[in-house]
Amino acid sequence: MAPLISISNLKKAYGIFTVLHGINLDIAEGEVVCVIGPSGSGKSTLIRCINRLEAFSNESSIVVDGVTVGPGKALAKVRAEVGMVFQSFNLFPHLTVLKNVMLAPMRVRGTKPADAERKARELLARVGISEQAEKYPGKLSGGQQQRVAIARALAMEPKVMLFDEPTSSLDPEMVGEVLDVMKELAWMGVTMVVVTHEMGFARQVADRVIFMDGGRIVEEGTPTDIFDTPKEERTQSFLRAVL
Ligand code: ADP
Ligand code: MG
């Protein structure tokens, strides 16, 4: 079966500074891939290229569900199929939680308000915040806001969910509630690419762990491969520092 996401020779530079040096990565439908590595290694840039939040070199190719990710018209289709959750929750502050979740399906897919609302309430229940539906994001805790952000991304019924350090800006007591929601998605078979510093999460949930350093994939494998028997010296020293 063709991979859901196929990344070939992904290169990205800012001026003379090369951030990604030709990344090759295929992701299968239903796969959960965790990306780890030191700060500045290119993890965010890699996942932001997947829906072209960052432009990349013409020599590179990214295909998502059969659609080439380029500057043209097809980009809207790709973005509709790729859900993204950021470190900062990026909710619309002037819209209620419910409206935050309803907006994209109505605007992008033309979903009727009643249907969008039913779906939004279902998703808010799934992430455990039904009671907050009528509140504004500013009234919610960080953990609750991030769960709304996940529900909002899921409302588009994306083919893949990208997470960029979704728990890094949370107070420690709220990390678990967000990771629990993500674990549930993983167990439901949602295809996920997760940049994370939560090694326990990666070990428990990932089908594959990718270690990046200096804009390259240095090593990849199962959680056991990477955490218990890392082969590369750079992987070993990173893990010694974080575990
Ligand atoms: P990570 O997510 O692994 O911490 P990033 O993908 O954010 O790494 O960044 C990789 C490198 O690219 C870093 O050295 C960073 O300073 C650089 N970088 C990121 N965004 C920009 C930008 N807009 N302009 C210049 N350099 C950038
Ligand atoms: Mg980053």
Side-chain angles (χ1 to χ4, degrees):
M1 221 173 68
L4 181 60
I5 300 176
S6 187
I7 298 172
S8 315
N9 192 28
L10 177 59
K11 292 183 182 172
K12 164 81 185 172
Y14 292 106
I16 58 159
F17 180 63
T18 300
V19 179
L20 297 176
H21 295 268
I23 302 273
N24 295 297
L25 177 62
D26 282 354
I27 294 164
E29 191 165 356
E31 197 177 11
V32 177
V33 175
C34 286
V35 182
I36 63 171
S39 177
S41 57
K43 307 180 298 298
S44 294
T45 306
L46 168 63
I47 69 164
R48 291 170 63 85
C49 284
I50 294 174
N51 56 1
R52 215 176 162 90
L53 290 179
E54 302 284 350
F56 45 83
S57 161
N58 292 330
E59 310 155 75
S60 312
S61 137
I62 301 182
V63 179
V64 176
D65 197 25
V67 180
T68 298
V69 180
K73 262 195 186 158
L75 187 56
K77 181 169 159 37
V78 170
R79 288 193 175 154
E81 294 198 344
V82 177
M84 183 130 192
V85 176
F86 303 89
Q87 182 174 337
S88 53
F89 328 117
N90 298 0
L91 296 173
F92 303 113
H94 61 294
L95 295 179
T96 63
V97 162
L98 183 68
K99 291 271 158 61
N100 262 278
V101 181
M102 290 168 61
L103 188 67
M106 288 171 54
R107 285 264 175 91
V108 181
R109 297 221 193 274
T111 306
K112 293 201 194 85
D115 293 336
E117 178 171 345
R118 186 170 343 104
K119 177 85 192 185
R121 290 196 187 277
E122 226 174 83
L123 288 166
L124 290 172
R126 202 203 287 176
V127 300
I129 31 179
S130 301
E131 331 74 60
Q132 318 294 338
E134 323 301 335
K135 291 189 184 159
Y136 287 86
K139 301 284 178 209
L140 272 55
S141 73
Q144 290 172 325
Q145 289 189 54
Q146 194 59 304
R147 288 185 282 149
V148 175
I150 294 172
R152 182 177 63 171
L154 290 171
M156 288 291 284
E157 302 185 342
K159 290 265 163 59
V160 55
M161 288 281 284
L162 308 178
F163 293 87
D164 191 359
E165 297 196 30
T167 59
S168 292
S169 66
L170 298 177
D171 292 333
E173 73 270 24
M174 290 168 191
V175 169
E177 67 195 47
V178 171
L179 293 180
D180 284 347
V181 167
M182 293 169 65
K183 281 177 200 169
E184 201 177 313
L185 296 179
W187 288 325
M188 285 169 51
V190 176
T191 309
M192 295 166 58
V193 184
V194 185
V195 175
T196 187
H197 292 298
E198 296 290 335
M199 300 301 151
F201 172 84
R203 184 189 271 279
Q204 192 180 358
V205 175
D207 295 304
R208 183 158 45 130
V209 177
I210 288 178
F211 172 69
M212 285 183 70
D213 194 16
R216 292 185 168 85
I217 294 176
V218 171
E219 187 167 358
E220 60 180 296
T222 64
T224 310
D225 294 336
I226 299 298
F227 294 119
D228 298 336
T229 54
K231 291 188 178 58
E232 300 293 329
E233 158 53 29
R234 274 189 288 173
T235 316
Q236 293 165 5
S237 60
F238 172 76
L239 291 172
R240 269 199 302 276
V242 299
L243 289 177

